[in-house]
Amino acid sequence: MSPPEPLSTDLSLRAWTGALQALLGADRIVVFVTDPGLQTATSVCAAPELGATTTELDAGFRAALASSKLVSPETLAAPAAWTADLEASPSAMLLRAQARKDGSQVGLAVLWAAAGAGALDRAMRQHLERSLDGLATAAAVAVKAAAERRREQELQGQFIEVFQSIATGVIIFRGRDEPALVNVTAGRLLGAPSGRVDAGLIEAGLKRLCESAVDAAAACKALAEITNDTMRNASFVIERGEQHISIDVQPMRGESGRGRIWLLRDVTQSRRREAELANLAASDPLTGLANRRGFMAEARAAAQACRAAAQPLTLLMIDLDHFKLVNDTYGHPTGDQVLRVAADRCRAALREDDLLGRLGGEEFAVLLPHTDHVEGSAIAERLRQAISATPVAVDKLALTMRVSVGGATRADGDVQLDALLAQADVALYMAKRSGRDRVVFAGGAASGG
């Protein structure tokens, strides 16, 4: 049989056992628990104190426990481990046990040495025997309570261990007049200690954290709103340079509306990954330019700004002439190199605020904010010449590039971007129909080679 689960005593069980020993004038009282098979008994608490021992039970002792009858001291000897340190061998013992659900038993043994046993007259002994049921019940309750307290302490210890080790900062406020419970991560973010900390100190740390934000006014306003409204869930993100800290707050329903849990997380890495994924989704991997999605998003923002300021806006569509022939003749790797060179030459010919993107295949687009028809035409011609001025060197090849450009302008910017894009696309089609290698603006004449 395996030994029973070890049980730890606490002060209340120890005090109860000691008081009972003094009351009965006993030389020793042992509270014990057996294994389910009644083969061994482990002392849980004893008075005077006895080292935690597990002892084999003989047949007589097992029979007494199994029958749950009162035991005469003349017919049953106590285990030697319970009596070895006593000054005299016990000459009297009362024993009582109660069964538990798992088949084990919780028992109480009262032992007297010769002098003490002699003082027990018949009436006293009968009274004690009648009280043993109650004493055994009290012992069982005390042992169970001690075990439950031990389990509760273990759970509390496990909670504290997890609470202090998790990567998310956790602050538990149970009320302004009570200390806050703060884990290590939260303390590190706030520059405060962990454990049970004065609530005012943590509130001051949260205020310092918000004051260090790039937008300190907005962060402090959000903090004030959350602090004043204790009944709602709330969250916001503090940006401190490259660092981003997420703050989530929720009320503790079981604290009469006073308690709240604050969660602080450093989300810098996740924000960085989000930005990288967004950049990948909006970028053309071949040329490094914005792809159609990225270009349209940036272009719409720029077009809206021009429309709000009543400024002109020009859009150019650029298409590499006979590019399919390059791919078919020299292969796609050569075609890819031609596209990269075209993108680089466009970048070099444009201004800092101009937007350049690859819409797909050999087609590029350029948005020229605050640019009228005259200036837009000049930039378009500059792009055409910059791309075609020098052959593209690929291995031993020198490939001449030619491009067709279509453009459209809105004098006051008051036009939808999609409509402007459609006008520039029609102008590009006209440039190709009229011989390629030229610039054509919507409603205007062609220019070029």
Side-chain angles (χ1 to χ4, degrees):
M1 287 287 181
S2 58
E5 177 187 3
L7 297 173
S8 298
T9 63
D10 60 8
L11 292 178
S12 59
L13 179 58
R14 201 170 291 168
W16 179 84
T17 307
L20 186 61
Q21 183 216 5
L23 179 66
L24 300 180
D27 288 273
R28 168 152 287 150
I29 290 184
V30 181
V31 178
F32 61 90
V33 59
T34 73
D35 67 277
L38 306 183
Q39 300 297 309
T40 61
T42 299
S43 60
V44 175
C45 191
E49 186 174 350
L50 179 70
T53 59
T54 298
T55 183
E56 297 287 335
L57 297 179
D58 60 24
F61 208 103
R62 289 198 299 273
L65 290 174
S67 64
S68 191
K69 295 179 179 179
L70 298 179
V71 178
S72 168
E74 289 80 12
T75 61
L76 183 66
W82 297 354
T83 62
D85 62 337
L86 295 180
E87 293 182 0
S89 298
S91 59
M93 179 176 71
L94 293 175
L95 177 68
R96 192 62 164 166
Q98 282 199 347
R100 301 201 297 181
K101 290 181 179 180
D102 63 356
S104 64
Q105 293 194 15
V106 173
L108 178 72
V110 185
L111 293 83
W112 290 270
L120 293 175
D121 59 22
R122 182 177 181 83
M124 174 63 71
R125 181 168 297 186
Q126 290 176 344
H127 176 72
L128 286 176
E129 290 176 347
R130 287 194 297 270
S131 303
L132 272 180
D133 275 330
L135 292 176
T137 299
V141 170
V143 168
K144 182 178 180 180
E148 289 176 349
R149 281 189 290 271
R150 181 181 67 100
R151 282 193 291 270
E152 183 178 348
Q153 291 170 355
E154 289 175 350
L155 289 174
Q156 289 177 346
Q158 292 169 3
F159 166 76
I160 293 297
E161 183 178 354
V162 173
F163 177 78
Q164 291 290 17
S165 62
I166 58 177
T168 296
V170 183
I171 305 169
I172 300 177
F173 286 107
R174 300 190 65 177
R176 287 185 173 272
D177 298 330
E178 299 184 42
L181 187 59
V182 183
N183 74 349
V184 172
T185 303
R188 187 182 303 119
L189 288 172
L190 299 181
S194 62
R196 295 177 63 84
V197 184
D198 181 82
L201 183 63
I202 299 306
E203 290 171 353
L206 288 167
K207 184 178 180 181
R208 285 195 306 272
L209 183 66
C210 291
E211 289 173 344
S212 68
V214 173
D215 190 346
C220 290
K221 180 181 178 181
L223 178 65
E225 290 175 351
I226 293 175
T227 302
N228 293 330
D229 188 353
T230 61
M231 297 304 295
R232 70 182 180 95
N233 296 340
S235 63
F236 63 100
V237 176
I238 293 176
E239 181 180 351
R240 307 167 69 199
E242 294 186 357
Q243 186 183 39
H244 293 75
I245 298 175
S246 168
I247 299 179
D248 295 280
V249 186
Q250 63 184 45
M252 293 172 62
R253 305 302 180 189
E255 292 295 326
S256 302
R258 298 181 303 112
R260 286 190 294 172
I261 298 177
W262 293 60
L263 303 177
L264 283 66
R265 292 176 295 156
D266 189 329
V267 294
T268 305
Q269 292 299 326
S270 61
R271 286 296 180 97
R272 185 174 295 134
R273 284 193 295 270
E274 289 172 4
E276 290 171 352
L277 290 173
N279 182 62
L280 289 173
S283 298
D284 171 42
L286 178 64
T287 63
L289 300 178
N291 60 17
R292 177 180 288 272
R293 176 181 177 181
F295 176 80
M296 294 301 290
E298 293 186 58
R300 283 195 173 91
Q304 184 176 2
C306 287
R307 186 163 50 250
Q311 291 289 312
L313 181 70
T314 295
L315 191 140
L316 307 177
M317 296 287 291
I318 304 171
D319 191 271
L320 302 187
D321 294 335
H322 304 296
F323 180 73
K324 184 175 184 301
L325 185 61
V326 174
N327 275 337
D328 292 344
T329 304
Y330 303 107
H332 287 279
T334 298
D336 290 348
Q337 181 60 22
V338 169
L339 290 171
R340 282 191 286 265
V341 171
D344 291 341
R345 292 180 181 180
C346 285
R347 285 193 191 95
L350 291 172
R351 302 166 302 183
E352 183 177 354
D353 293 336
D354 297 335
L355 301 177
L356 172 64
R358 181 187 175 203
L359 301 191
E362 68 272 26
E363 193 171 65
F364 297 83
V366 179
L367 188 75
L368 306 173
H370 313 294
T371 304
D372 58 19
H373 173 77
V374 174
E375 189 177 12
S377 298
I379 293 173
E381 181 60 28
R382 185 168 75 232
L383 281 168
R384 186 191 68 81
Q385 293 181 14
I387 293 172
S388 61
T390 306
V392 179
V394 183
D395 295 330
K396 296 180 179 181
L397 299 173
L399 304 177
T400 299
M401 280 193 296
R402 296 286 185 266
V403 296
S404 298
V405 182
T409 299
R410 181 66 184 186
D412 58 2
D414 188 16
V415 67
Q416 292 297 321
L417 181 65
D418 290 340
L420 196 63
L421 188 66
Q423 294 172 15
D425 199 43
V426 170
L428 175 63
Y429 176 75
M430 295 302 297
K432 288 183 171 293
R433 284 287 302 270
S434 59
R436 303 179 189 271
D437 189 21
R438 65 195 63 235
V439 175
V440 173
F441 262 70
S447 66

